[in-house]
């Protein structure tokens, strides 16, 4: 199977990828996976589809209810026999069937192994790597999988990553001659691959070096969402502006609008997004959010100019107030319409609830968040908002219950967990659970020392903590 870049696949595949990435950034992994699976099945030659799909599947699996995850692992038994039979007669078709099976839960060992075997037969090492990396994520001590992954990485021109695996295996078996020989072979291959890339007199090297420095390569990287600076965005704008003169394309205009956003030319971005909507006839929620983002950015840019140079404008404060009011009204109109037009999209309902909270309409926010908390994909974040609502109506015990559950399902301390821990600490203070409040604030402090007012809170609470939890005498 010959790998392809986005420039060689149908527009709808690229559009599907972009929509999935938008959902993925919002943490809506279910919707992102739902979009990516058919795209990956229809275009198995495109490696980036599988990289992103596996990323979202792994993230989803890590937050799954353990009972539901166990159920998927049991039910996979019934899928393995038909998948194995299909793998012999139609490896590519079996790969698609495996992807559909994994969409529910990626931690299905048997299905992942069949997918890896089929992709080996189909000579698609990028799919083999993605399947085996998922296996490694959940079963990191399986040496057979690690060796198989290293071999697939070498075929996929990832010799350095393969070398890393062999080094790990060799460090655990210093006396095993076979393992040490594998390490030496991996080192040699990594050296050869680096040499081929740098060697000036090889046939492959000029093409690779030219690709790295070529405008087309930069353009392709931007198309695939891996470059986001103004210089490269301008390259895309120049190229697409020329191409649009002879070939008007919806996909091209959408990417052109994205580039204008990077350049902070919000007016042109808004115009291009609106043109895309007019040509499509129906505006999907992702496009509607992009239109909103560009429109609001124009107004916010206007506010910034009014504040920076008030002497150049008539009644700048009045204009700022008008712009601010229009931003709030526009966002509410569009969030309400999206939630109404797509009532089964949990993320859109959550977005509306979050906007109500931001506006200070806490009763409406709480009503929506209660519904979102019943849906797995939005439950965790909805619980944080429910906790905050409970604090505001002076129900700290209820807040602690919601926030403790939210925190328990957050696996790394990022901005979302810091926020949840902060409000959990606030609620614990309100009911006198000083030791738990201190614990929350110290967790935040360990990742961001100057977060909000935790230094002041800890200074106030820390002297009390030992009294609440006096050390046991030995």
């Amino acid at each position: 199977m010959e790998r392809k870049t986005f420039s060689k696949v149908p527009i709808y595949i690229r559009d599907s990828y972009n929509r999935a990435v938008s959902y993925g950034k919002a943490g809506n992994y279910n919707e992102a996976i739902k979009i990516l699976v058919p795209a990956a099945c229809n275009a198995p030659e495109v490696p980036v589809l599988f990289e992103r799909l596996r990323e979202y599947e792994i993230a989803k699996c890590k937050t799954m209810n353990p009972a539901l995850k166990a159920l998927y692992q049991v039910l996979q038994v019934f899928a393995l026999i038909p998948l194995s039979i299909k793998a012999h007669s139609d490896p590519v078709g079996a790969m698609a069937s495996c992807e559909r099976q994994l969409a529910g839960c990626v931690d299905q060992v048997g299905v992942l192994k069949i997918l890896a075997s089929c992709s080996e037969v189909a000579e698609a090492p990028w799919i083999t790597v993605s399947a085996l990396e998922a296996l490694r994520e959940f079963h990191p001590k399986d040496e057979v999988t690690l060796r198989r992954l290293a071999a697939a990485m070498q075929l996929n021109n990832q010799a350095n990553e393969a070398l890393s695996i062999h080094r790990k295996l060799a460090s655990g078996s210093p006396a095993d001659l076979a393992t040490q020989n594998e390490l030496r072979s991996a080192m040699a291959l990594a050296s050869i691959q680096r040499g081929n890339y740098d060697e000036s007199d090889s046939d492959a090297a000029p093409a690779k070096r030219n690709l790295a420095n070529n405008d087309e390569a930069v353009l392709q990287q931007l198309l695939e969402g891996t470059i986001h600076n103004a210089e490269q965005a301008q390259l895309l704008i120049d190229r697409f502006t020329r191409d649009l003169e002879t070939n008007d394309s919806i996909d091209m205009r959408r990417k052109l609008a994205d580039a204008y956003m990077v350049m902070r030319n919000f007016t042109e971005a808004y115009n291009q997004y609106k043109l895309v909507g007019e040509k499509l006839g129906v505006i999907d929620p992702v496009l509607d959010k992009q239109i909103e983002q560009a429109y609001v950015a124009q107004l916010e840019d206007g506010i910034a100019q009014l504040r920076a140079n008030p002497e150049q404008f008539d009644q700048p404060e009045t204009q700022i107030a008008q712009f601010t009011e229009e931003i709030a009204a526009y966002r509410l109109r569009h969030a309400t319409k999206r939630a109404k037009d797509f009532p089964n999209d949990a993320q859109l309902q959550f977005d509306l609830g979050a906007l109500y909270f931001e506006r200070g309409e806490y009763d409406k926010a709480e009503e929506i968040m209660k519904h979102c908390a019943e849906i797995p994909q939005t439950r965790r974040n909805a619980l944080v908002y429910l906790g905050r609502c409970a604090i505001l109506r002076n129900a700290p015990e209820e807040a602690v219950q919601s926030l403790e559950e939210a925190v328990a399902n957050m696996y790394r301390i990022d901005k979302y967990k810091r926020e949840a821990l902060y409000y959990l600490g606030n609620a614990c203070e309100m009911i006198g659970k000083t030791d738990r409040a201190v614990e929350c604030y110290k967790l935040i402090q360990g990742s961001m020392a100057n977060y909000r007012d935790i230094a002041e809170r800890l200074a106030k609470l820390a002297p009390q903590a030992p009294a609440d939890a006096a050390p046991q005498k030995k």
Side-chain angles (χ1 to χ4, degrees), residues 15-17 19-20 23 30-40 286:
D15 184 62
S16 294
Y17 176 82
R19 289 191 296 115
Y23 278 112
N30 274 332
E31 196 62 32
I33 292 166
K34 190 186 300 182
I35 294 170
L36 279 176
V37 167
V286 174

Side-chain angles (χ1 to χ4, degrees), residues 49-312:
L49 293 174
F50 295 89
E51 294 168 7
R52 194 69 73 174
L53 174 59
R54 219 62 77 213
E55 174 189 342
Y56 295 152
E57 286 176 339
I58 290 170
K60 171 188 170 182
C61 189
K62 287 183 176 180
T63 61
M64 282 184 74
N65 182 302
L68 181 60
K69 183 177 175 180
L71 178 61
Y72 271 107
Q73 291 170 339
V74 170
L75 292 177
Q76 75 165 318
V77 174
F78 300 98
L80 293 180
I81 294 176
L83 284 174
S84 298
I85 294 172
K86 190 172 185 178
H88 289 290
S89 59
D90 181 12
V92 176
M95 284 159 49
S97 298
C98 287
E99 294 294 354
R100 287 188 284 270
Q101 178 73 20
L102 293 169
C105 172
V106 75
D107 188 12
Q108 299 183 58
V109 175
V111 180
L112 284 169
K113 287 182 176 179
I114 291 174
L115 175 59
S117 297
C118 289
S119 55
E120 286 169 348
V121 173
E123 296 182 350
W126 53 92
I127 301 177
T128 311
V129 168
S130 76
L132 295 175
E133 282 189 325
L135 269 175
R136 178 174 63 169
E137 183 70 30
F138 297 101
H139 309 278
K141 296 181 180 179
D142 186 342
E143 289 192 7
V144 174
T145 295
L146 290 175
R147 284 188 164 84
R148 193 175 176 189
L149 174 58
M153 284 177 164
Q154 289 172 339
L155 290 173
N156 200 41
N157 296 320
Q158 295 176 261
N160 284 332
E161 292 90 335
L163 176 58
S164 177
I165 292 174
H166 281 295
R167 279 177 173 156
K168 180 179 179 181
L169 291 170
S171 67
S173 305
D176 188 333
L177 294 179
T179 301
Q180 298 302 321
N181 286 335
E182 288 174 348
L183 174 60
R184 283 192 287 273
S185 298
M187 291 173 68
L189 182 58
S191 177
I192 290 169
Q193 282 194 4
R194 286 194 296 269
N196 282 345
Y197 193 85
D198 297 329
E199 190 65 35
S200 60
D201 60 350
S202 72
D203 292 333
K208 288 182 178 178
R209 191 165 49 254
N210 289 339
L211 179 66
N213 297 320
N214 193 282
D215 282 356
E216 286 296 324
V218 175
L219 179 62
Q220 185 59 42
Q221 285 180 297
L222 184 55
L223 278 170
E224 296 181 4
T226 55
I227 294 180
H228 297 290
N229 65 53
E231 181 182 353
Q232 291 158 352
Q234 186 61 56
L235 172 65
L236 187 149
I237 290 169
D238 294 342
R239 169 64 180 273
F240 278 1
T241 300
R242 291 195 305 270
D243 290 352
L244 282 168
E245 294 176 0
T246 56
N247 179 28
D248 199 332
S249 158
I250 289 175
D251 181 64
M252 199 180 296
R253 286 194 180 279
R254 201 163 189 166
K255 296 304 294 183
L256 179 59
D258 292 344
Y260 276 126
M261 288 296 290
V262 174
M263 293 290 293
R264 299 185 61 80
N265 188 340
F266 304 124
T267 301
E268 279 302 323
Y270 176 77
N271 291 338
Q272 293 299 329
Y273 284 134
K274 289 288 285 184
L275 274 173
V276 171
E278 291 170 8
K279 290 178 180 296
L280 286 173
V282 177
I283 298 181
D284 64 69
V286 174
L287 177 58
D288 190 62
K289 283 185 177 182
Q290 291 173 320
I291 292 172
E292 176 188 321
Q293 183 184 10
Y295 181 74
V296 169
Q298 290 181 75
L299 297 180
E300 289 177 338
D301 194 43
I303 290 172
Q305 291 181 40
L306 286 163
R307 286 178 173 158
N309 305 290
E311 70 283 352
Q312 297 181 12

